[in-house]
């Protein structure tokens, strides 16, 4: 028997709501026991002293980007999964804006076959809502559903509300998750950061909050009309949080998420002009950041997404306003969020783990991982005190586009069990 005993580890399990010190026995890919103290024969079992370490369910990322196919110099599926595993993510959900886009069953089958043998993370794919993710014509949604997409998302706003309405009506009987983002491109124009006092000071074109909120209000009207369940991606403004709260209070079938960087940073941080802070949607103003943090904690926003978006050094090393939007994050999110929210005392460890693991799985209509006897060992071991530097040799991702490059972080995943 291939068995391991983790002694006196801090077990965080949002499913049961427990945060306790316990011994955990793992054998043949399953959790065999979680008890105050477990005796084991060292000749048959690998015993590890885990005092000071945290054992939690594997993290689940709702949406991120792959370079492959089309942009393998940014990220391959192999490096993407390696980065996810290093960051504690046992389930990764990839957006369809690859080249070619994931808008047909044949392309999906190729990607599924390419990732089938990876033991560290379960990689799953969003199917495109529209051909080429161009927002003009519906894909063969039923065909993609039958081929095994986790759900449907373009990862880009769909401005044609008539098309969106027809698409949601068609999708309803398929019963798959649908993820939509909200932005009115006519209002955002050439804005590269959130409009406000900071954008004026920094001399950068502003993207007004109304570009998101007006599109969100229209999207919510379509959801109310069709009754199709929808996940709202990339919420970035305080007003959007209020619109979602009101919609949920009216009984609309919606869930919502923001990204990890929108919780940690705001428009004031753009003063460094680091191109890795050029995001879509842009970082909110300080009041937006506060509303997002409270929105996630209160449950108005269901989950935190990573939206890992790799770019090469050459693509990102340009003027801020000319940089493509996005940053990597799979290996950085847990330690930075833990330090900012849990160690500060603002959130409990259970609150953070819930929105990185349990709730994202539920948004995908999947059973969340749990730490209990008989459960599959989809778990990670996290050392909150381990220090490391964000640099090439310490990252699994091919790309380095992060504002934390060169900085020392505290906290890192030291082991990952997954049989996805």
């Amino acid at each position: 028997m291939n068995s391991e005993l983790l002694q006196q580890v801090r077990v965080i399990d949002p499913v049961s709501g427990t945060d306790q010190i316990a011994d955990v026995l793992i054998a043949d890919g399953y959790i065999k026991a979680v008890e105050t103290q477990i005796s084991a024969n060292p000749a048959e079992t690998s015993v590890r002293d885990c005092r000071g370490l945290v054992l939690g369910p594997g993290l689940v990322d709702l949406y991120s980007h792959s370079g492959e196919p089309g942009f393998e110099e940014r990220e391959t599926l192999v490096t993407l999964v390696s980065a996810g595993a290093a960051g504690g993510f046992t389930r990764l959900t990839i957006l369809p804006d690859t080249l070619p886009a994931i808008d047909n069953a044949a392309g999906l089958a190729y990607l599924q076959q390419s990732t089938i043998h990876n033991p560290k993370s379960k990689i799953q794919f969003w199917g495109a809502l529209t051909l080429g993710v161009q927002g003009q014509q519906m894909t063969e949604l039923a065909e993609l559903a039958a081929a095994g997409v986790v759900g449907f998302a373009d990862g880009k706003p769909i401005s044609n509300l008539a098309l969106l309405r027809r698409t949601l009506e068609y999708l309803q009987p398929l019963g798959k998750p649908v993820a939509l983002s909200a932005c009115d491109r006519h209002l955002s124009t050439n804005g590269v950061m959130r409009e406000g006092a900071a954008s004026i000071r920094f001399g950068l074109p502003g993207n007004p909050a109304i570009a998101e909120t007006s599109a969100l209000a229209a999207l919510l009207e379509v959801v109310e009309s069709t009754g199709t369940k929808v996940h709202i991606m990339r919420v970035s403004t305080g007003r959007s949080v209020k619109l979602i709260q009101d919609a949920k209070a009216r009984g609309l079938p919606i869930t919502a998420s923001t990204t990890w960087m929108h919780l940690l940073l705001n428009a004031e941080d753009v003063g460094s002009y680091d191109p890795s802070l050029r995001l879509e949607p842009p970082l909110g103003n300080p009041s937006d950041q506060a509303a997002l943090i409270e929105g996630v904690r209160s449950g108005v926003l269901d989950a935190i997404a990573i939206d890992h978006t790799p770019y090469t050094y050459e693509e990102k090393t340009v003027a801020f306003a000319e940089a493509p939007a996005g940053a990597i994050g799979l290996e950085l999110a847990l330690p930075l969020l833990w330090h900012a929210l849990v160690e500060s005392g603002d959130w409990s460890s259970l609150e953070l783990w819930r929105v990185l693991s349990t709730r994202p799985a539920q948004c995908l209509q999947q059973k969340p991982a749990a730490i209990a006897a008989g459960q599959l060992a989809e778990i990670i071991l996290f050392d909150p005190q381990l220090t490391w530097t964000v640099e090439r040799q310490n990252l699994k991702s091919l790309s380095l586009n992060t504002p934390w490059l060169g900085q020392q972080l505290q906290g890192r995943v030291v082991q990952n069990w997954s049989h996805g």
Side-chain angles (χ1 to χ4, degrees), residues 101-164:
I102 308 172
D103 60 4
N104 62 79
L108 174 66
Y110 167 78
L111 294 172
Q112 289 171 331
Q113 190 62 35
S114 299
T115 59
I116 198 168
H117 298 300
N118 193 293
K120 281 297 182 185
S121 292
K122 177 181 180 181
I123 188 166
Q124 47 203 4
F125 300 94
W126 290 103
L129 286 161
T130 65
L131 290 175
V133 297
Q134 295 301 305
Q136 300 298 318
Q137 183 180 347
M138 241 190 291
T139 57
E140 294 290 345
L141 300 170
E143 180 182 289
L144 280 166
V149 293
V150 71
F152 295 92
D154 270 9
K156 300 176 181 179
I158 297 177
S159 58
N160 185 333
L161 294 181
L163 173 63
L164 179 61

Side-chain angles (χ1 to χ4, degrees), residues 25 37 113 116-117 130 162 177 302 324 331 351 356-357 369 387 397 402 419:
L25 181 63
Q37 193 168 0
Q113 190 62 35
I116 198 168
H117 298 300
T130 65
D302 300 82
E331 298 170 79
E351 286 174 322
L356 284 172
S357 178
T387 58
S397 176
T402 170
H419 298 267

Side-chain angles (χ1 to χ4, degrees), residues 79-406:
T79 61
L80 182 73
V81 170
S82 295
F89 289 88
T90 53
R91 302 182 206 177
L92 298 173
T93 319
I94 306 307
L95 288 166
D97 57 345
T98 50
L99 188 67
I102 308 172
D103 60 4
N104 62 79
L108 174 66
Y110 167 78
L111 294 172
Q112 289 171 331
Q113 190 62 35
S114 299
T115 59
I116 198 168
H117 298 300
N118 193 293
K120 281 297 182 185
S121 292
K122 177 181 180 181
I123 188 166
Q124 47 203 4
F125 300 94
W126 290 103
L129 286 161
T130 65
L131 290 175
V133 297
Q134 295 301 305
Q136 300 298 318
Q137 183 180 347
M138 241 190 291
T139 57
E140 294 290 345
L141 300 170
E143 180 182 289
L144 280 166
V149 293
V150 71
F152 295 92
D154 270 9
K156 300 176 181 179
I158 297 177
S159 58
N160 185 333
L161 294 181
L163 173 63
L164 179 61
R165 181 187 178 195
R166 289 197 304 274
T167 303
L168 290 183
E169 288 173 341
Y170 191 88
L171 281 168
Q172 191 173 51
L174 298 181
K176 293 273 189 178
V178 184
L180 301 171
S181 58
C183 181
D184 186 324
R185 298 299 188 194
H186 296 291
L187 284 168
S188 64
T189 61
N190 65 338
V192 296
M193 70 171 292
R194 179 63 69 221
E195 183 180 270
S199 67
I200 295 170
R201 285 203 316 277
F202 303 151
L204 291 169
N207 179 335
I210 194 175
E212 176 173 296
T213 57
S214 61
L216 176 59
L219 192 160
L220 292 172
E221 287 293 307
V222 176
V223 171
E224 188 158 21
S225 170
T226 63
T228 304
K229 188 173 183 179
V230 161
H231 180 82
I232 311 296
M233 309 167 65
R234 301 189 182 112
V235 176
S236 73
T237 74
R239 175 63 180 155
S240 294
V241 176
K242 184 65 167 64
L243 288 171
I244 290 166
Q245 183 178 34
D246 292 346
K248 284 188 169 184
R250 298 201 313 272
L252 262 66
I254 58 171
T255 56
S257 60
T258 188
T259 84
W260 71 290
M261 286 182 67
H262 286 82
L263 298 179
L264 294 175
L265 303 169
N266 61 56
E268 296 293 334
D269 296 295
V270 176
S272 67
Y273 297 98
D274 185 335
S276 292
L277 293 172
R278 166 84 170 92
L279 304 176
E280 183 63 42
L283 292 168
N285 290 313
S287 60
D288 295 314
Q289 181 188 15
L292 293 170
I293 291 171
E294 179 54 32
V296 174
R297 189 178 185 189
S298 67
V300 173
L301 303 182
D302 300 82
I304 299 172
I306 307 306
D307 206 8
H308 177 90
T309 309
Y311 283 103
T312 65
Y313 176 84
E314 291 77 16
E315 288 174 304
K316 267 292 195 180
T317 309
V318 294
F320 186 92
E322 298 171 9
I328 62 170
L330 289 170
E331 298 170 79
L332 308 174
L334 178 57
L336 284 163
L337 289 167
W338 182 277
H339 181 74
L341 299 174
V342 177
E343 289 192 348
S344 66
D346 294 336
W347 287 18
S348 72
S349 56
L350 274 171
E351 286 174 322
L352 177 61
W353 223 277
R354 184 175 294 117
V355 294
L356 284 172
S357 178
T358 306
R359 285 185 181 164
Q362 291 168 340
C363 289
L364 293 169
Q365 300 175 20
Q366 295 176 351
K367 181 182 178 181
I371 303 182
Q375 295 289 320
L376 196 67
E378 187 182 343
I379 52 180
I380 60 171
L381 193 62
F382 175 63
D383 185 345
Q385 304 305 318
L386 182 63
T387 58
W388 61 287
T389 303
V390 182
E391 53 192 357
R392 163 62 64 200
Q393 58 263 41
N394 291 330
L395 291 173
K396 300 294 185 183
S397 176
L398 280 184
S399 294
L400 301 172
N401 53 311
T402 170
W404 285 277
L405 187 64

